[in-house]
Amino acid sequence: MATSPGFGRLVPPERQTKTVPPSGLRELLPQVLRPEILSFALGLPATELFPLAECRDAAVRALADPKTLQYNVPSAALKRHIQTLMASRGVACSTEQIFLTAGAQQAIHLLVHLLLSYGRQVLVEELTYEGLHLALQSLEPEILTVPTTPTDGIDLDAVEERLRGGARSAFLYTVPDGHNPLGVSLRPEDRIRLVELARRFHLPVIEDDVYGFLGYDGAACPPLCALDQEWVYYIGSFSKIFAPSLRVGWIVAPASCSTALSHLKHAGDLDISTFSQLTALSYLDSGHLAGHLASLRTEYDRRRRAMLVALEAHFPPVARWHAPSCGMFIWVELPPEIDTCELLRFAIHSEQVAFMPGPIFAIPGQACSRNGIRLNFTHWPPDRMEEGIARLADCLRRFCDPALNQKLRVH
Ligand SMILES: Cc1ncc(COP(=O)(O)O)c(C=O)c1O
């Protein structure tokens, strides 16, 4: 084969690319998404509650200007709306501190790459949002874990112990409101303690607040970012409160980080989509978000209660859960001998229902309790939810019945 100078020793592409560790669970995800599956697995907003007409009007208004389809810089006007939204969460920040991103997932990716250099340590909860694992993967950090419980949230004694023991963590990542997957929200006194630890040990904290606007039991607690803006790097998003497909989120960080964040973002996708920004801006200008948020909270609260009632009615007494005060998820603990990955396979095949099994939220390769499941309560209306929970409870009973067990398990 003829080779031109410099190209003679090309390595076949399959040997140049990084390998992604196989995950049996990720292979299950396409099944979870099949339309015939009544799925509680993903953090999906209710499709029928999207403000479709208002969003269409906003897009039409944005498209009146052809520059909406052009490259553009981040919108200062959109940042001003975000500043007002942050004030409604009790956070006073300047627009210079606000950095626009393509959703919270990109914000996580950018902050991880801003704060962490290759191979350093990070502090992470034993069970945490799986998107963090993906963002960490290529930097191969040493991962130090701390426990989080569905009743009390992150174990701050364990955090302090790690820090006193000499951990030199590039950051701690946490979801203080409507924790994913555990549903728990951090108590006000623990927020103060966490921020004090961050200051004392010079520990940056990445606060992922995608669920903080969805509080149900009275006024939600202000985020960590309301207590500190030197060590706390805040992440917000319109995905759960407006429309995830627009891919608009934001970071609140010290203004001095914005150049570095811009460089990191440009390397990935240049700038946030002008169309998305200006559609979001036009929607926010129309003043509809406050009313939409209020009706989302009311309806999601109704669905949260409906799921709690359905769990009480159908699940066996050995199952344990706690009512979340915020967010989209209820975490259910099943007896320790239950392998929830196996249960998921069984549930999909036998009853066409799905949930997220606990191990997907554990640091890959680390031991974790396999007996927890995460249920989303926002996507289905109460009647479908009750039907799904009843089917899931039925699966659970049959899965646990030793006589039926061998016959019914699907591999
Ligand atoms: C805790 C958490 N962070 C970030 C994200 C990603 O959100 P976005 O759609 O804004 O990228 C999710 C999505 O479910 C999430 O649960």
Side-chain angles (χ1 to χ4, degrees), residues 16 38 61 105 150 181 258 300 338-339 349 374:
Q16 297 172 4
L38 213 168
R61 283 193 300 273
Q105 182 61 39
S258 75
Y300 287 171
I338 291 187
D339 178 340
H349 286 97
R374 188 194 75 179

Side-chain angles (χ1 to χ4, degrees), residues 43 102-106 108 129 173 175 180 208 210-211 237 239-240 244 247-248 329:
Q105 182 61 39
Q106 185 179 59
I108 295 171
Y129 168 56
Y173 167 90
V175 184
N180 184 359
D208 186 340
V210 292
Y211 300 108
S237 172
S239 289
K240 312 295 179 180
R247 311 303 306 136
V248 183
F329 306 113

